[in-house]
Amino acid sequence: MSPENCKIVLIGAGNVATHLGIALQEKKFSILQVYSRTLSSAKALGERLHTAYTDNLENLNPDASIYLFALKDSVLPEVLNAFPHFPGLFVHTAGSLPMQVFENHAEHYGVLYPLQTFSKERNISFERIPLFVEARYPDDELLLKEVANTISQNVFHLSSEKRKYLHLAAVFACNFTNHLYNLAAEILEEQSIPWEILQPLIQETAAKAEALHPEKAQTGPAIRYDQEVIEKHLSLLSGSNKELYRILSQSIHQKSLTSSRSQQESPPIAESPT
Amino acid sequence: MSPENCKIVLIGAGNVATHLGIALQEKKFSILQVYSRTLSSAKALGERLHTAYTDNLENLNPDASIYLFALKDSVLPEVLNAFPHFPGLFVHTAGSLPMQVFENHAEHYGVLYPLQTFSKERNISFERIPLFVEARYPDDELLLKEVANTISQNVFHLSSEKRKYLHLAAVFACNFTNHLYNLAAEILEEQSIPWEILQPLIQETAAKAEALHPEKAQTGPAIRYDQEVIEKHLSLLSGSNKELYRILSQSIHQKSLTSSRSQQESPPIAESPT
């Protein structure tokens, strides 16, 4: 199927729908319509893509080749319950939902999961983004792979079972990581130090992961088991940040023990006295 | 003082000593000698820099302009206690130690703290690395700034008091972040998925921090307060990783509440039933 003949309706108008919609339209796919439960969101993305939009499921276009659901996991079942039984291929983009969420709602269904973090403020190139596809029927999976291949060079088959672990790993590598940047920024801002001073460190930490397994790249007081520094740092922290520091340092230390068992067992990191 | 006239003795032969030694030598500073408590380490770095090396404090060269201490925090006091009282400028590179660790050991002392992560396996350019300097006497601080400016474009004065917070922030932004990459890699490797599939996500997460404050860049189930996904993820985890997931998700959620107080208060993330 040529992109022009592959008609897509976007269900959702958030970050993933926006970035996928833009990327697909650039590759000449026909974005027939945008649906969102919030009219203003449907309108914003519809206008950006110069296409129709609606907040009413009864007004959905029934002729799409693909209905691409990019919704919050908790919203998808709700929307599906009210969704018409169209003949097109129903596809969601969620890491944690099995393909079978569609089984009572469509004959043809599958998944197209992009392993990336999307923010509205940021343009992104899909070229390097790994896309993981899966479909109930082999022909549908072929179609999904064809679509995915037009926007990315890294398209793979992945089962629903494995995909949920991939999503979990992504939460650690991206969402939690970004939150640590945020906590670091907060620590500096409280001292009136501009957080941007951390940028070269953040970039190098990530760049190392292009070249070295993160196990080999680990540095800092916890991997050296430098208890004096760890205790000093704990004394500067309070509340959940202190708890987080302790658990992360302990986890770094534990992981170093299991990966090189020759090292001597050390006691757990103690409560800070202050 | 021209670099050629600025004679440096490196105390320590680990990652920081190695990278600083190489960078300074490239800028024509004279690295007179390398000291390490471990002869093989002193030898390795001494040979790399084509200079003298020793594991014996009694054999130290007394004529250096600068003694650059790049040692584990817990080791520095020990080494200092046995260290000769030379007239040169004593400088350490530690984030968490005040400049005053030198006060009973030298007349001239200061700090040169590079905010970066150093691994032996990886070459690094100092150009963009922020260097933070401090010295007891203004003339010594000028000298340190001169030295620092030859290798980096980002040289700042920072007090010992502020530096410890900077170091703490760096642990969050770098060491803990890298450990999260490591945990993510472990999750994938247990599922026989190559960890490298995370690289574009890791790079984009870091690249975002060049453009957006991390508070604005936060994505994922915790910031959406998607309890269903959070519970699913908790059910896939055990032990300290599960604890870590819960605390980090809670912390992300809490931070979003304090930064936009209009949002409704939500209950804490519950223990997973499984």
Side-chain angles (χ1 to χ4, degrees), chain B residues 3 7 20 26-27 40 90 104 138 165 172 201 212 232:
Chain B
K7 299 185 176 80
L20 262 177
E26 275 173 4
K27 298 296 177 181
S40 60
F90 284 33
N104 297 322
Y165 286 96
F172 277 84
L201 179 64
L212 293 177
K232 269 190 213 167

Side-chain angles (χ1 to χ4, degrees), chain B residues 44-76:
Chain B
L45 184 55
E47 288 179 347
R48 188 153 174 189
L49 299 173
H50 309 285
T51 193
Y53 57 86
T54 182
D55 65 345
N56 186 343
L57 290 174
E58 290 175 14
N59 295 338
L60 278 177
N61 190 316
D63 301 325
S65 325
I66 296 176
Y67 294 87
L68 196 52
F69 293 76
L71 297 168
K72 209 171 137 170
D73 287 21
S74 55
V75 172
L76 181 59

Side-chain angles (χ1 to χ4, degrees), chain A residues 119 162 179 191 208 251, chain B residues 117 119 162 179 191 208 251:
Chain A
S119 293
K162 296 255 183 198
H179 184 58
Q191 300 297 316
K208 268 187 177 182
S251 174
Chain B
T117 168
S119 293
K162 296 254 183 198
H179 184 58
Q191 301 297 317
K208 268 188 179 183
S251 174

Side-chain angles (χ1 to χ4, degrees), chain A residues 72-74 96-97 115-119 121-122 124 128 130 132 156 162 164-184 186-189 191 195 197 199-215 217-221 224 226 228-229 232-233 236-237 241 243-245 247-249 251-252 255, chain B residues 72-74 96-97 115-119 121-122 124 128 130 132 156 162 164-184 186-189 191 195 197 199-215 217-221 224 226 228-229 232-233 236-237 241 243-245 247-249 251-252 255:
Chain A
K72 211 171 134 167
D73 287 21
S74 54
S96 286
L97 290 176
L115 183 65
Q116 192 50 282
T117 167
F118 300 98
S119 293
E121 298 87 342
R122 213 176 138 73
I124 202 159
R128 269 196 81 200
F132 297 88
F156 307 93
K162 296 255 183 198
K164 66 187 186 189
Y165 285 96
L166 184 60
H167 187 227
L168 176 64
V171 168
F172 277 84
C174 167
N175 307 150
F176 288 169
T177 287
N178 184 74
H179 184 58
L180 293 179
Y181 300 162
N182 202 4
L183 295 179
E186 182 184 59
I187 290 167
L188 292 188
E189 285 161 355
Q191 300 297 316
W195 79 271
I197 204 75
Q199 286 170 342
L201 179 64
I202 287 173
Q203 297 312 313
E204 172 63 11
T205 305
K208 268 187 177 182
E210 293 277 283
L212 293 176
H213 193 288
E215 189 162 287
Q218 190 67 50
T219 57
R224 295 194 307 267
D226 193 333
E228 213 167 316
V229 174
K232 269 189 213 167
H233 283 171
L236 301 176
L237 294 166
N241 288 2
E243 190 55 18
L244 204 49
Y245 187 103
I247 292 179
L248 280 164
S249 293
S251 174
I252 290 170
K255 197 143 171 50
Chain B
K72 209 171 137 170
D73 287 21
S74 55
S96 287
L97 290 176
L115 183 65
Q116 193 48 283
T117 168
F118 300 97
S119 293
E121 298 87 343
R122 212 175 138 73
I124 202 159
R128 268 196 82 200
F132 298 89
F156 308 92
K162 296 254 183 198
K164 66 187 185 188
Y165 286 96
L166 185 61
H167 187 225
L168 176 63
V171 167
F172 277 84
C174 167
N175 307 150
F176 289 170
T177 287
N178 184 75
H179 184 58
L180 293 180
Y181 300 163
N182 203 3
L183 295 180
E186 183 184 57
I187 289 167
L188 292 189
E189 285 161 353
Q191 301 297 317
W195 78 271
I197 205 75
Q199 286 170 341
L201 179 64
I202 287 172
Q203 297 312 313
E204 171 63 12
T205 305
K208 268 188 179 183
E210 293 277 282
L212 293 177
H213 192 290
E215 189 163 286
Q218 190 67 50
T219 57
R224 295 194 307 265
D226 194 333
E228 212 168 317
V229 174
K232 269 190 213 167
H233 283 170
L236 300 176
L237 294 165
N241 288 1
E243 191 56 18
L244 204 50
Y245 187 102
I247 291 179
L248 280 164
S249 293
S251 174
I252 290 170
K255 198 141 170 52

Side-chain angles (χ1 to χ4, degrees), chain A residues 116-189:
Chain A
Q116 192 50 282
T117 167
F118 300 98
S119 293
K120 282 225 172 83
E121 298 87 342
R122 213 176 138 73
N123 289 326
I124 202 159
S125 155
F126 269 83
E127 285 286 295
R128 269 196 81 200
I129 300 180
L131 300 179
F132 297 88
V133 299
E134 182 188 18
R136 181 185 188 188
Y137 295 119
D139 279 0
D140 292 332
E141 181 151 333
L142 271 180
L143 170 62
L144 268 184
K145 276 193 174 154
E146 241 181 276
V147 171
N149 277 326
T150 63
I151 56 174
S152 168
Q153 294 168 351
N154 295 307
V155 178
F156 307 93
H157 168 84
L158 197 73
S159 69
S160 292
E161 179 59 23
K162 296 255 183 198
R163 193 175 60 252
K164 66 187 186 189
Y165 285 96
L166 184 60
H167 187 227
L168 176 64
V171 168
F172 277 84
C174 167
N175 307 150
F176 288 169
T177 287
N178 184 74
H179 184 58
L180 293 179
Y181 300 162
N182 202 4
L183 295 179
E186 182 184 59
I187 290 167
L188 292 188
E189 285 161 355

